[in-house]
Amino acid sequence: MQPDNFAIPQRNGEILILPGRKELLDTIPCNHQMLLEYDFDFAGRPFHTVLASSRSLLTRIAADYTASLGVEPRIGCSDIVVACGHQPAFCHAGVWIKNHLISWLADRLDATSLN
């Protein structure tokens, strides 16, 4: 991706996503595969044990919170988590688009999206 190969959206309804959705769909599984190949201890425990317990706790807390809002949580079948974040006080259009993008990515990867 070269920074001079894109144009800033000029009209209402246009968005700029970098990297693009296709590149993200290709990159996320590759990153996940690299994560699976890590082999080290973290705080005296195997990294994959820490990763699995952290993922389980995080998705449970997120699902409980989502359910408390009256929304049925969607937890993907794979162990991939697509996450993003933003300060909670101000949700502008870019944050709204980002949240929809991670949901879109998670749906296509059978992953879980978290914000």
Side-chain angles (χ1 to χ4, degrees):
M1 176 179 68
Q2 297 296 323
D4 56 354
N5 290 346
F6 62 85
I8 302 300
Q10 300 296 311
R11 293 185 297 272
N12 187 33
E14 294 180 334
I15 60 173
L16 174 64
I17 301 173
L18 292 175
R21 294 180 301 174
K22 172 74 170 101
E23 188 176 347
L24 289 169
L25 283 174
D26 293 342
T27 301
I28 292 169
C30 291
N31 287 348
H32 182 67
Q33 183 57 43
M34 286 190 301
L35 189 68
L36 294 177
E37 294 170 6
Y38 289 167
D39 184 22
F40 62 91
D41 285 351
F42 182 82
R45 296 173 58 205
F47 170 72
H48 291 287
T49 301
V50 175
L51 181 65
S53 61
S54 299
R55 183 184 298 115
S56 176
L57 178 62
L58 183 63
T59 54
R60 183 178 50 79
I61 291 170
D64 290 348
Y65 174 74
T66 302
S68 78
L69 299 173
V71 178
E72 185 171 339
R74 293 182 298 161
I75 304 297
C77 291
S78 77
D79 59 354
I80 295 175
V81 174
V82 183
C84 69
H86 193 268
Q87 69 270 17
F90 181 62
C91 186
H92 54 79
V95 174
W96 182 81
I97 289 168
K98 180 175 61 172
N99 291 339
H100 284 276
L101 175 62
I102 67 166
S103 179
W104 183 88
L105 290 165
D107 286 347
R108 277 139 190 89
L109 296 168
D110 199 18
T112 302
S113 64
L114 296 175
N115 176 18

